[in-house]
Amino acid sequence: MKNRDINHEGFSHNYDVVVGPVANDTVAFQLRRYLLGVIPLKILVKELEYKVLNRQFFFGTEKAISKLRKL
């Protein structure tokens, strides 16, 4: 949630690279509902289940970016 919080500066971890599933387009909407108290955590978790799995790659440091090569 911190990585999607516009009031939070920086990243909520110090990893060079993070690889993981991509959340669907309703993530921000569902997080907002949870933070406003409209839905409980149990419902938030259910709403964030992956419908279609895709993978995303995050290169968060200069060190990680320096390892990228153009094909």
Side-chain angles (χ1 to χ4, degrees):
M1 286 177 41
K2 283 184 183 178
N3 287 334
R4 293 189 175 269
D5 183 353
I6 62 172
N7 297 314
H8 178 76
E9 292 186 26
F11 305 119
S12 62
H13 57 76
N14 60 356
Y15 299 112
D16 295 316
V17 178
V18 177
V19 179
V22 178
N24 64 30
D25 292 340
T26 66
V27 169
F29 173 71
Q30 299 301 343
L31 289 176
R32 196 172 319 111
R33 290 175 66 207
Y34 172 72
L35 292 172
L36 292 172
V38 175
I39 60 173
L41 182 59
K42 183 176 180 178
I43 299 297
L44 173 65
V45 170
K46 181 167 176 47
E47 292 296 323
L48 294 181
E49 289 178 356
Y50 301 112
K51 312 286 189 268
V52 177
L53 290 180
N54 290 305
R55 192 172 294 163
Q56 64 184 343
F57 297 82
F58 169 80
F59 295 84
T61 64
E62 289 296 325
K63 178 182 175 184
I65 292 169
S66 74
K67 305 298 181 188
L68 293 173
R69 293 186 192 164
K70 186 175 181 179
L71 298 175

